[in-house]
Amino acid sequence: MKQYFTALKERLSSVSTLRTVDVEWGQLNYEQPPVQFPCALIDMSSTSIAAVKPDSVNVQASVNILVADLRYNRQQSTAFDIYQTIEDVAQKLQGWTDGRFRQLSLISIAPVSDAPGFSAYQLQFSTSFGLAPSAEPEPTAEPEPEPEPEPEPTPDTQQPTPNT
Protein backbone atom coordinates (compact mmCIF):
# COMPACT_ATOMS: atom_id res chain seq x y z
CA MET A 1 0.00 0.00 0.00
CA LYS A 2 3.03 2.23 0.29
CA GLN A 3 2.82 3.02 -3.43
CA TYR A 4 -0.70 4.48 -3.02
CA PHE A 5 0.39 6.82 -0.22
CA THR A 6 3.47 7.81 -2.19
CA ALA A 7 1.41 8.59 -5.30
CA LEU A 8 -1.07 10.68 -3.29
CA LYS A 9 1.74 12.57 -1.55
CA GLU A 10 3.45 13.32 -4.87
CA ARG A 11 0.18 14.52 -6.39
CA LEU A 12 -0.65 16.80 -3.43
CA SER A 13 2.90 18.17 -3.28
CA SER A 14 2.13 20.14 -6.43
CA VAL A 15 -0.66 22.11 -4.66
CA SER A 16 0.98 25.52 -4.22
CA THR A 17 -1.11 26.52 -1.20
CA LEU A 18 0.17 23.56 0.89
CA ARG A 19 3.39 23.79 2.91
CA THR A 20 3.32 20.23 4.31
CA VAL A 21 2.01 17.02 2.76
CA ASP A 22 2.49 13.88 4.84
CA VAL A 23 0.89 10.67 6.05
CA GLU A 24 -1.43 11.38 9.00
CA TRP A 25 -0.07 9.95 12.25
CA GLY A 26 -1.48 12.37 14.81
CA GLN A 27 0.68 15.43 14.09
CA LEU A 28 -2.09 17.87 15.10
CA ASN A 29 -2.32 16.30 18.57
CA TYR A 30 1.03 17.78 19.54
CA GLU A 31 1.28 21.10 21.37
CA GLN A 32 3.76 22.18 18.69
CA PRO A 33 2.68 20.16 15.63
CA PRO A 34 5.60 18.98 13.47
CA VAL A 35 4.09 20.47 10.30
CA GLN A 36 4.09 23.78 8.48
CA PHE A 37 0.68 25.26 7.77
CA PRO A 38 -1.41 24.92 5.73
CA CYS A 39 -0.96 21.16 5.59
CA ALA A 40 -2.59 18.09 4.08
CA LEU A 41 -2.34 14.82 5.99
CA ILE A 42 -3.17 11.58 4.16
CA ASP A 43 -4.89 8.52 5.61
CA MET A 44 -6.63 5.54 4.07
CA SER A 45 -9.10 2.97 5.33
CA SER A 46 -10.76 0.06 3.62
CA THR A 47 -14.52 -0.09 3.52
CA SER A 48 -14.65 -3.61 2.13
CA ILE A 49 -12.35 -6.31 0.86
CA ALA A 50 -13.45 -9.04 -1.55
CA ALA A 51 -11.42 -11.97 -2.86
CA VAL A 52 -11.37 -12.06 -6.65
CA LYS A 53 -8.92 -14.98 -6.94
CA PRO A 54 -7.42 -17.24 -4.33
CA ASP A 55 -4.30 -15.07 -4.25
CA SER A 56 -5.69 -11.54 -4.78
CA VAL A 57 -8.33 -9.21 -3.38
CA ASN A 58 -10.17 -6.08 -4.43
CA VAL A 59 -10.15 -3.28 -1.84
CA GLN A 60 -12.83 -0.58 -1.69
CA ALA A 61 -11.12 2.27 0.13
CA SER A 62 -11.67 5.71 1.56
CA VAL A 63 -8.83 8.14 1.08
CA ASN A 64 -9.02 10.81 3.77
CA ILE A 65 -7.18 14.09 3.40
CA LEU A 66 -7.08 16.29 6.50
CA VAL A 67 -6.51 19.90 5.46
CA ALA A 68 -5.54 22.17 8.34
CA ASP A 69 -4.38 25.73 8.92
CA LEU A 70 -3.75 27.82 11.99
CA ARG A 71 -6.91 29.38 13.37
CA TYR A 72 -5.45 32.01 15.69
CA ASN A 73 -3.52 35.14 14.71
CA ARG A 74 -5.31 35.21 11.37
CA GLN A 75 -5.91 38.52 9.73
CA GLN A 76 -9.29 39.11 8.17
CA SER A 77 -7.67 39.21 4.74
CA THR A 78 -6.40 35.61 5.14
CA ALA A 79 -9.15 34.13 7.32
CA PHE A 80 -10.75 32.33 4.37
CA ASP A 81 -7.53 31.00 2.80
CA ILE A 82 -8.24 27.48 4.07
CA TYR A 83 -11.27 27.29 1.77
CA GLN A 84 -9.05 28.00 -1.24
CA THR A 85 -6.68 25.27 -0.05
CA ILE A 86 -9.59 22.83 0.30
CA GLU A 87 -10.74 23.68 -3.20
CA ASP A 88 -7.19 23.26 -4.57
CA VAL A 89 -6.86 19.82 -2.95
CA ALA A 90 -10.31 18.71 -4.16
CA GLN A 91 -9.57 19.82 -7.72
CA LYS A 92 -6.17 18.12 -7.71
CA LEU A 93 -7.55 14.75 -6.60
CA GLN A 94 -11.10 14.58 -8.03
CA GLY A 95 -11.11 12.11 -10.93
CA TRP A 96 -7.37 11.50 -10.68
CA THR A 97 -5.67 8.10 -10.88
CA ASP A 98 -2.11 6.98 -11.36
CA GLY A 99 -3.30 3.79 -13.05
CA ARG A 100 -2.89 1.52 -10.00
CA PHE A 101 -6.24 2.50 -8.46
CA ARG A 102 -9.58 3.70 -9.81
CA GLN A 103 -10.25 7.39 -10.19
CA LEU A 104 -10.72 9.19 -6.91
CA SER A 105 -14.23 10.45 -6.27
CA LEU A 106 -14.89 13.15 -3.65
CA ILE A 107 -17.74 11.99 -1.44
CA SER A 108 -17.63 14.42 1.50
CA ILE A 109 -16.03 17.48 3.05
CA ALA A 110 -16.60 17.96 6.78
CA PRO A 111 -15.17 20.26 9.43
CA VAL A 112 -13.10 18.62 12.16
CA SER A 113 -14.34 20.09 15.43
CA ASP A 114 -11.69 18.63 17.73
CA ALA A 115 -8.72 20.47 16.21
CA PRO A 116 -7.80 23.04 18.89
CA GLY A 117 -6.09 26.08 17.44
CA PHE A 118 -6.66 24.92 13.88
CA SER A 119 -9.23 25.17 11.18
CA ALA A 120 -9.39 21.65 9.81
CA TYR A 121 -11.53 19.85 7.24
CA GLN A 122 -11.64 16.19 6.27
CA LEU A 123 -11.98 15.50 2.54
CA GLN A 124 -13.08 11.93 1.86
CA PHE A 125 -12.56 10.27 -1.52
CA SER A 126 -13.58 6.79 -2.60
CA THR A 127 -11.52 4.49 -4.79
CA SER A 128 -10.67 0.82 -5.26
CA PHE A 129 -7.60 -1.17 -6.11
CA GLY A 130 -6.35 -4.73 -6.25
CA LEU A 131 -3.86 -6.38 -3.95
CA ALA A 132 -1.98 -9.44 -5.12
CA PRO A 133 1.21 -11.15 -4.02
CA SER A 134 4.36 -9.50 -5.26
CA ALA A 135 6.24 -11.06 -8.13
CA GLU A 136 9.37 -11.30 -6.01
CA PRO A 137 9.65 -14.35 -3.80
CA GLU A 138 9.29 -13.79 -0.09
CA PRO A 139 12.43 -14.39 1.96
CA THR A 140 12.47 -17.79 3.57
CA ALA A 141 12.03 -18.00 7.32
CA GLU A 142 15.22 -20.01 7.79
CA PRO A 143 18.44 -19.10 6.00
CA GLU A 144 20.03 -21.76 3.90
CA PRO A 145 22.70 -23.69 5.81
CA GLU A 146 26.29 -22.72 5.19
CA PRO A 147 28.38 -25.45 3.54
CA GLU A 148 30.69 -27.21 5.97
CA PRO A 149 34.36 -26.30 5.59
CA GLU A 150 36.54 -28.85 3.92
CA PRO A 151 39.09 -30.58 6.17
CA GLU A 152 42.73 -29.59 5.89
CA PRO A 153 44.60 -31.81 3.41
CA THR A 154 46.82 -34.39 5.11
CA PRO A 155 49.28 -36.76 3.54
CA ASP A 156 47.67 -40.06 2.68
CA THR A 157 50.21 -42.03 4.55
CA GLN A 158 52.77 -41.02 7.04
CA GLN A 159 55.60 -43.43 7.58
CA PRO A 160 57.48 -43.16 10.81
CA THR A 161 61.13 -42.50 10.30
CA PRO A 162 63.54 -44.96 11.98
CA ASN A 163 65.72 -43.65 14.75
CA THR A 164 69.30 -44.53 14.29
Side-chain angles (χ1 to χ4, degrees), residues 4-22:
Y4 304 116
F5 283 98
T6 302
L8 289 163
K9 183 175 180 178
E10 286 175 11
R11 180 73 175 179
L12 288 174
S13 292
S14 66
V15 175
S16 64
T17 53
L18 292 171
R19 295 187 62 204
T20 298
V21 177
D22 201 357

Side-chain angles (χ1 to χ4, degrees), residues 40-164:
L41 304 174
I42 306 164
D43 200 5
M44 188 181 304
S45 61
S46 64
T47 55
S48 69
I49 299 176
V52 288
K53 293 181 183 173
D55 62 346
S56 65
V57 296
N58 187 44
V59 178
Q60 297 291 323
S62 291
V63 173
N64 303 302
I65 310 296
L66 180 64
V67 176
D69 201 357
L70 292 173
R71 184 180 299 160
Y72 53 88
N73 296 331
R74 304 289 296 178
Q75 300 173 359
Q76 270 191 322
S77 62
T78 59
F80 296 106
D81 286 356
I82 190 168
Y83 301 108
Q84 183 60 53
T85 303
I86 292 167
E87 186 176 328
D88 294 345
V89 168
Q91 287 178 347
K92 191 57 106 174
L93 294 181
Q94 174 61 32
W96 175 73
T97 181
D98 74 344
R100 291 178 282 200
F101 51 84
R102 289 189 183 248
Q103 292 179 328
L104 294 171
S105 179
L106 181 63
I107 57 175
S108 71
I109 300 174
V112 176
S113 59
D114 62 348
F118 310 104
S119 291
Y121 288 82
Q122 186 82 28
L123 285 73
Q124 186 178 27
F125 295 84
S126 65
T127 189
S128 64
F129 53 88
L131 287 179
S134 67
E136 295 181 23
E138 293 291 319
T140 58
E142 295 180 27
E144 290 185 29
E146 300 257 342
E148 293 199 22
E150 292 186 27
E152 292 287 322
T154 59
D156 290 339
T157 60
Q158 280 189 333
Q159 296 288 330
T161 55
N163 286 346
T164 54

